[in-house]
Amino acid sequence: MKKSNFWQTRFGFFAILVLTFAAKDLFAAYCDFNLGLSDPYQHFIIWLSPFGLAAAIISLGLYVPRPLLSYISMLVLDLANTVLLFANIVYYRQFNDFLTIKTIQNTSKVSQGLGKSTVALLKPQDILIWIDLIIIVALLLLGKIKIDQRSYGISSAFAASSAACFMLVLNMFLAETSRPRLLVNTFDRSYVVKYLGLDTFTAYDMFKSARSNSVKKNANADELNQILSFTQQNYAKPSSTYFGKARGKNVIVIHLESFQQFLINLKINGQEVTPFLNSLYKSKHTLAFDNFYHQVGLGRTSDAENMLETGTFGLSDGSVFTSLGSENTFQAAPQILRQRGYTSAVFHGNTGTFWNRNEVYKNFGYNYFFDANYFSNEKNDKIGYGLKDKLLFSESIKYLEQMQQPFYVKYLTVTNHIPFDMDDDDKDPNFKTTSTSDQTVNNYFLTAHYLDQAVQEFFTYLHKSGLYKNSLIIIYGDHYGLSDSDNDALASVIGKSADDWTSYDSIKMQKVPYMIHMSGLKGGINHEVGGEIDALPTLLHLLGIKSQQYVNFGTDLLSPSHRKAVVFRNGTIVTQKYVITGSRSKRPSLYDASSGQPIAWKTLTAGQKKRLKKLIKFELNSLHFSDLLNNRNLLRFYTPAGFIPDQPTQFDYKTNYQQMEKIRKQAGSQSTSLYSQNGGSTTSDYQTDASELKNRRDEIDSVDLAKLQKLSPSTSKSKTSSK
Ligand code: MN
């Protein structure tokens, strides 16, 4: 066989596929993934990685005896690998992480809300991921690449597979030398990809996922006892000043999507980005926290919800909502509060299946879930992740006023979500945003400004309707909106320099607002370190509910013995004194919490080291026990004193309005809904400058009525009785 003909043989074709796949795999490794490749050794390993498992997979096509089928098999295997690569590239742009089996399994549930922003995440260079396959198929069709009709024995295919497997083993050996126990201590997925490549990472993840499914089946009550003793020891007694201060009040939780603490009091072009939230932050009736961190993992928004309402962490991988939320037993805020006579609801302008909420909320004990079905649906009413915030708040009133008081309600806003798109009509002509080179950064301030206005309109209504004086209002940001890739452009906006930006700065960017506001509440800005995990015990104590019997991994922020440390899902720990990264490694990296100066481990005294090790152990245990609790669904073995579990099947989110109306009518003069107290609807108290409504004020009422008619046959009467 002449050497020049090699490319026209079956093995030549195999080589073409492997080389082109390797080329785009490496392109992605360098241009799309931020793997932090530093020394030449790491570069060498990454160049090796595509010739291992990826080549082994494509080589399976060589075993097919019939020539045409063999070519097609190799192409299909290459295509499957390419799809995996491409999906990871797109996912990485948004989440700074790689796809796991759990995420893929739950994609159908998440993707319903992701469509628009996925398109926004595509880049022209992505064509390079597909171009090789297109060209190869074209060359095959044109006969430029001929199908090699000779037959080969198993042994030559085996030789190719063996060569690939040898590369894989060599790759793993070199990785092990450079980074021992890589697969045992997986604290960061990017390390596995960096040292073993995407295919090996995915295969490893499949193996891990299969193993965790078998773990759940072997759960036992002893583990629960271990966890209970851990959380009991961690319990912090409530402050005598605040315990029961909001007893019997309505609770209104406003979830500010992707809202970071640095936005508070930030001025751009001389103007405040969020003037209303700033005024609340400074109000003497607001307890604000300026050292409060989000602690979400891959479950993002749903992780924040989970922490705030169940007092347990999200998972190390995937989302509690999507992977466990349908089956698990929870002891969540709506359920705990129902024992005190509360009615609960969520208002959210996205589809109910997003993050599996329609199932999880039943297990959380929510009476009502008002998803996109309950709100207007005109083309211009939605953007990005659903109904625009101003419309969400204003259209929620006709439902809110029907709820029996006291109520616990949550508003999940969506407009301030990456890519922070907004229609021109919704932009405040008086607010000028930044003009950095990063459009994401510029947009972020526009949507944050819009969100601020939406919250202000809602507050104006709360005052006007009288709900304000009976309500405790909690406002928080769920997680970061701008990711590390935006820091270069962001640095100058917040008075920093991109050149001196450190991982300490990135960690400080994970602060989000947490504010508790109530008429007459003794407020102030609290500087103690805290996080989302601390929210549930804080709320319960304010409402005068003891929390010790519940499994909470955080502590009351207002308690004198509040634990002043937070742990992130990736193991980063922040205390009043230190910021600690790499806490799972032998020598964690330390920074001074206020100056950001690195602290060398060896400069610490023996006593300091010992205390730090103890602290790290405790925080990592906290994550570990929370994972154990959720992964094995251990709360099904535990009923706290005074807690009556709900039947999730008792809830039906399709007939919310009918249910509320029926309750009001049955209660008669005992009805505590705002509608009853007011002797009719309060929707006319709501003022919004939402551009969508300007031209169809009258029209929208009729649209709503028609819609409510569908959901509830007797609604039309409510309008005539309004005053
Ligand atoms: Mn979110």
Side-chain angles (χ1 to χ4, degrees):
M1 187 172 60
K2 273 188 292 175
K3 196 166 188 265
S4 59
N5 282 344
F6 171 72
W7 301 109
Q8 294 292 359
T9 69
R10 207 189 287 192
F11 290 89
F13 186 70
F14 167 70
I16 292 172
L17 293 188
V18 170
L19 287 172
T20 52
F21 183 80
K24 55 199 188 183
D25 194 52
L26 290 170
F27 176 77
Y30 282 92
C31 302
D32 289 297
F33 305 139
N34 180 15
L35 296 176
L37 296 163
S38 46
D39 57 75
Y41 192 73
Q42 291 179 352
H43 287 279
F44 178 67
I45 292 180
I46 199 86
W47 277 80
L48 207 60
S49 65
F51 297 100
L53 192 56
I57 289 171
I58 299 173
S59 78
L60 293 177
L62 291 169
Y63 291 86
V64 179
R66 287 176 53 192
L68 180 62
L69 223 52
S70 171
Y71 275 63
I72 292 175
S73 308
M74 284 192 271
L75 270 174
V76 168
L77 291 166
D78 190 350
L79 177 71
N81 252 339
T82 304
V83 169
L84 178 73
L85 176 66
F86 183 68
N88 270 287
I89 289 171
V90 175
Y91 187 79
Y92 192 89
R93 281 192 194 131
Q94 182 160 15
F95 296 103
N96 267 319
D97 205 337
F98 298 95
L99 278 167
T100 65
I101 299 302
K102 268 190 192 166
T103 320
I104 294 169
Q105 280 170 346
N106 295 318
T107 299
S108 57
K109 285 174 181 160
V110 180
S111 62
Q112 293 176 31
L114 277 175
K116 175 103 197 283
S117 57
T118 304
V119 175
L121 291 168
L122 299 181
K123 290 185 180 175
Q125 72 201 45
D126 294 343
I127 188 69
L128 292 175
I129 304 300
W130 302 101
I131 197 86
D132 63 321
L133 281 170
I134 297 169
I135 292 174
I136 289 169
V137 170
L139 290 176
L140 274 170
L141 292 176
L142 293 171
K144 299 283 178 204
I145 297 179
K146 294 194 177 63
I147 309 261
D148 176 8
Q149 297 295 346
R150 283 172 294 176
S151 61
Y152 294 88
I154 295 277
S155 58
S156 32
F158 187 71
S161 301
S162 303
C165 287
F166 171 76
M167 292 303 262
L168 175 63
V169 171
L170 177 67
N171 183 187
M172 292 181 88
F173 171 75
L174 293 176
E176 181 67 21
T177 317
S178 168
R179 210 170 171 90
R181 294 169 62 77
L182 174 67
L183 293 180
V184 185
N185 302 329
T186 325
F187 56 90
D188 190 336
R189 275 176 274 280
S190 71
Y191 277 80
V192 183
V193 175
K194 177 170 164 179
Y195 287 98
L196 297 175
L198 199 54
D199 280 83
T200 312
F201 160 73
T202 308
Y204 161 72
D205 188 60
M206 271 179 185
F207 164 75
K208 219 177 55 170
S209 162
R211 206 177 44 182
S212 90
N213 284 340
S214 72
V215 159
K216 211 192 270 175
K217 294 192 185 100
N218 300 320
N220 65 62
D222 287 348
E223 291 162 339
L224 175 72
N225 292 334
Q226 242 188 318
I227 294 167
L228 284 173
S229 87
F230 179 83
T231 55
Q232 299 292 322
Q233 272 171 34
N234 188 27
Y235 169 74
K237 279 200 184 74
S239 119
S240 52
T241 322
Y242 287 107
F243 187 81
K245 268 287 164 311
R247 199 186 298 270
K249 297 274 184 184
N250 296 320
V251 179
I252 301 174
V253 179
I254 302 177
H255 171 113
L256 303 177
E257 179 56 45
S258 303
F259 197 100
Q260 290 168 256
Q261 173 71 16
F262 81 86
L263 288 167
I264 297 290
N265 290 336
L266 178 70
K267 279 187 178 177
I268 286 172
N269 300 318
Q271 275 177 301
E272 292 176 77
V273 180
T274 59
F276 180 70
L277 290 167
N278 295 349
S279 73
L280 270 184
Y281 182 74
K282 285 178 274 201
S283 157
K284 62 177 184 203
H285 298 308
T286 301
L287 279 159
F289 297 82
D290 66 359
N291 228 342
F292 184 91
Y293 290 82
H294 85 74
Q295 295 164 281
V296 310
L298 290 182
R300 309 257 296 180
T301 305
S302 69
D303 275 359
E305 292 182 67
N306 179 64
M307 277 184 275
L308 265 94
E309 293 183 318
T310 74
T312 70
F313 290 100
L315 300 177
S316 63
D317 184 8
S319 145
V320 178
F321 271 35
T322 50
S323 43
L324 307 170
S326 300
E327 301 107 46
N328 270 22
T329 299
F330 297 98
Q331 282 142 20
Q335 239 172 335
I336 296 170
L337 295 183
R338 175 160 30 262
Q339 335 260 323
R340 303 291 174 118
Y342 278 76
T343 305
S344 51
V346 181
F347 301 99
H348 182 46
N350 199 338
T351 54
T353 50
F354 195 56
W355 286 121
N356 198 25
R357 288 189 175 100
N358 53 347
E359 295 190 19
V360 177
Y361 287 162
K362 290 179 184 172
N363 289 330
F364 273 23
Y366 270 110
N367 291 95
Y368 311 114
F369 174 27
F370 296 92
D371 66 5
N373 282 320
Y374 282 89
F375 303 106
S376 65
N377 196 22
E378 312 257 311
K379 188 171 152 279
N380 292 335
D381 296 347
K382 295 186 287 185
I383 196 152
Y385 280 68
L387 187 73
K388 295 172 181 173
D389 296 340
K390 283 184 184 174
L391 302 180
L392 173 76
F393 283 111
S394 69
E395 292 183 25
S396 73
I397 303 307
K398 57 181 175 281
Y399 307 121
L400 183 70
E401 67 184 7
Q402 294 289 348
M403 290 184 69
Q404 297 295 310
Q405 301 183 74
F407 53 66
Y408 170 89
V409 296
K410 172 162 75 171
Y411 283 84
L412 289 175
T413 62
V414 295
T415 310
N416 189 43
H417 192 295
I418 194 163
F420 313 112
D421 271 345
M422 222 165 51
D423 291 331
D424 285 340
D425 284 348
D426 294 319
K427 290 178 185 160
D428 178 355
N430 300 315
F431 177 74
K432 196 170 159 288
T433 187
T434 50
S435 46
T436 72
S437 56
D438 186 338
Q439 201 49 41
T440 308
V441 170
N442 304 339
N443 286 350
Y444 185 52
F445 300 118
L446 289 174
T447 47
H449 184 71
Y450 171 89
L451 174 56
D452 183 70
Q453 293 178 328
V455 175
Q456 179 168 25
E457 291 177 352
F458 182 58
F459 261 76
T460 307
Y461 163 81
L462 292 178
H463 280 283
K464 211 164 171 187
S465 64
L467 277 177
Y468 176 79
K469 59 183 189 301
N470 304 324
S471 303
L472 174 80
I473 300 152
I474 293 183
I475 299 182
Y476 75 99
D478 63 341
H479 51 71
Y480 66 90
L482 297 178
S483 55
D484 288 351
S485 57
D486 300 312
N487 290 340
D488 272 1
L490 181 65
S492 65
V493 179
I494 56 172
K496 289 191 169 277
S497 136
D499 298 334
D500 316 331
W501 192 276
T502 64
S503 17
Y504 167 86
D505 293 310
S506 298
I507 289 164
K508 287 278 157 168
M509 291 302 288
Q510 309 311 313
K511 285 184 189 183
V512 290
Y514 184 71
M515 301 188 235
I516 304 170
H517 180 85
M518 186 178 75
S519 156
L521 185 72
K522 184 169 158 268
I525 297 171
N526 185 315
H527 309 299
E528 281 186 20
V529 170
E532 291 173 333
I533 200 71
D534 299 321
L536 183 61
T538 310
L539 171 66
L540 292 178
H541 289 169
L542 276 164
L543 296 174
I545 299 169
K546 293 206 180 79
S547 73
Q548 193 171 12
Q549 71 273 37
Y550 295 108
V551 179
N552 283 322
F553 288 93
T555 55
D556 180 353
L557 289 160
L558 302 168
S559 162
S561 46
H562 163 63
R563 186 175 169 81
K564 293 182 255 271
V566 285
V567 61
F568 295 0
R569 204 47 264 201
N570 65 6
T572 292
I573 296 167
V574 182
T575 72
Q576 296 293 126
K577 233 172 153 174
Y578 301 109
V579 169
I580 308 162
T581 63
S583 60
R584 288 184 180 89
S585 67
K586 231 175 174 174
R587 285 285 146 78
S589 308
L590 294 180
Y591 299 89
D592 182 289
S594 42
S595 72
Q597 286 305 310
I599 300 171
W601 185 260
K602 59 174 188 276
T603 62
L604 300 176
T605 67
Q608 282 174 320
K609 280 182 196 164
K610 204 176 148 202
R611 279 195 297 279
L612 268 170
K613 292 246 166 177
K614 198 177 152 205
L615 171 99
I616 291 170
K617 189 169 171 223
F618 180 94
E619 295 301 333
L620 295 181
N621 260 337
S622 189
L623 291 176
H624 165 72
F625 283 131
S626 174
D627 287 348
L628 196 64
L629 183 88
N630 283 323
N631 281 325
R632 304 206 183 180
N633 190 15
L634 295 176
L635 284 180
R636 68 195 144 124
F637 301 124
Y638 178 62
T639 308
F643 181 82
I644 306 157
D646 289 316
Q647 277 307 317
T649 48
Q650 77 190 72
F651 305 114
D652 174 8
Y653 297 153
K654 290 198 189 72
T655 59
N656 295 340
Y657 196 88
Q658 287 98 319
Q659 293 172 49
M660 292 192 301
E661 201 180 38
K662 191 171 158 206
I663 290 169
R664 167 164 60 80
K665 285 179 178 161
Q666 278 173 355
S669 60
Q670 306 293 307
S671 168
T672 57
S673 71
L674 183 65
Y675 184 93
S676 301
Q677 290 174 348
N678 188 55
S681 179
T682 61
T683 51
S684 59
D685 287 344
Y686 205 97
Q687 301 293 321
T688 172
D689 70 356
S691 64
E692 299 74 23
L693 303 184
K694 270 179 201 146
N695 304 323
R696 55 182 167 98
R697 197 60 264 187
D698 301 327
E699 188 195 331
I700 199 149
D701 281 345
S702 58
V703 167
D704 282 352
L705 274 175
K707 189 162 182 178
L708 284 177
Q709 215 103 46
K710 205 174 69 198
L711 293 164
S712 149
S714 54
T715 318
S716 52
K717 283 184 205 131
S718 66
K719 198 180 182 224
T720 46
S721 62
S722 74
K723 58 175 192 183

